[in-house]
Amino acid sequence: MVFVSSRAVAPEVVRPPTLEAVELDFDHDIELVLAFLNTCDAEDGTETLDDHDQWQQWCTDRGLGAAPDVEAAREIRDSMRSAVSYGVRPPELATAWPVQVRLHRGIPVLTGADALGTVLVAAARLVHTEHWDRIKICPADDCQWAFYDRSRNRSRTWCSMRVCGNREKARSWRERHTTA
């Protein structure tokens, strides 16, 4: 009986890890998606997507290039906010947005064709890497801020325990003690 080492027959091929070769930055994707979801601010009463110039400035500030139709951006943003809001079912959108596939060191990578496409590609990467489930909307009516839940068990409810969580706990305490 003859034993042959598989290394002697077929040399080992060294392949670079896919994520390192593509240089994905999940923190950047998270920041971009959160910034997009927070283009409406309930506390300040501001809405970036009410005006094309503000939308263009938002895209320029982030180096995203040309800003597409502001109405489509608002519709997509509102649908995405509904998708991450607790207990809210997002409406079905027939909106499709163009993205491109390019090769980066031989590896196919999705890229946006414009600013909104770039945001959607970042969101898609978060979905496929299971980061999307950690994006939440603060349930405080006067806040509604999108945030990323970094807790180990994904149980964070408030954008800030010091502000929104504390307000809600104080409100709940007052209700319990005034009715008693």
Side-chain angles (χ1 to χ4, degrees):
M1 183 178 271
V2 176
F3 292 100
V4 178
S5 170
S6 62
R7 290 182 187 209
V9 176
E12 187 174 326
V13 177
V14 178
R15 294 183 184 200
T18 304
L19 292 179
E20 287 179 19
V22 178
E23 299 168 5
L24 295 179
D25 184 358
F26 296 115
D27 287 333
H28 178 265
D29 289 345
I30 291 165
E31 288 175 26
L32 179 60
V33 170
L34 288 177
F36 180 66
L37 294 175
N38 288 325
T39 52
C40 60
D41 189 336
E43 193 171 28
D44 292 339
T46 58
E47 170 63 85
T48 303
L49 300 181
D50 271 348
D51 178 13
H52 181 75
D53 292 336
Q54 286 181 352
W55 169 228
Q56 178 62 54
Q57 186 62 48
W58 186 91
C59 295
T60 302
D61 290 348
R62 284 155 186 79
L64 301 177
D69 181 44
V70 70
E71 288 81 22
R74 189 178 320 109
E75 182 181 32
I76 289 170
R77 190 250 351 249
D78 292 347
S79 179
M80 288 171 64
R81 284 182 64 88
S82 294
V84 297
S85 296
Y86 181 74
V88 177
R89 189 167 196 163
E92 275 300 317
L93 286 182
T95 303
W97 210 260
V99 295
Q100 301 168 345
V101 178
R102 66 179 175 84
L103 289 178
H104 179 77
R105 298 182 186 162
I107 299 170
V109 179
L110 284 177
T111 60
D114 58 15
L116 190 52
T118 302
V119 170
L120 289 171
V121 165
R125 280 193 294 255
L126 295 179
V127 169
H128 290 289
T129 57
E130 298 181 11
H131 286 81
W132 178 260
D133 293 338
R134 290 183 175 266
I135 295 178
K136 299 178 179 180
I137 302 290
C138 181
D141 291 332
D142 55 348
C143 180
Q144 300 289 303
W145 198 250
F147 66 94
Y148 186 76
D149 181 358
R150 294 187 187 276
S151 67
R152 181 178 291 178
N153 63 356
R154 302 174 187 217
S155 63
R156 188 170 153 197
T157 302
W158 310 101
C159 66
S160 167
M161 199 58 212
R162 288 183 180 172
V163 180
C164 293
N166 192 33
R167 278 188 218 155
E168 183 57 32
K169 284 182 175 187
R171 194 176 299 129
S172 176
W173 184 88
R174 280 192 306 274
E175 287 175 6
R176 283 194 314 270
H177 286 66
T178 56
T179 59

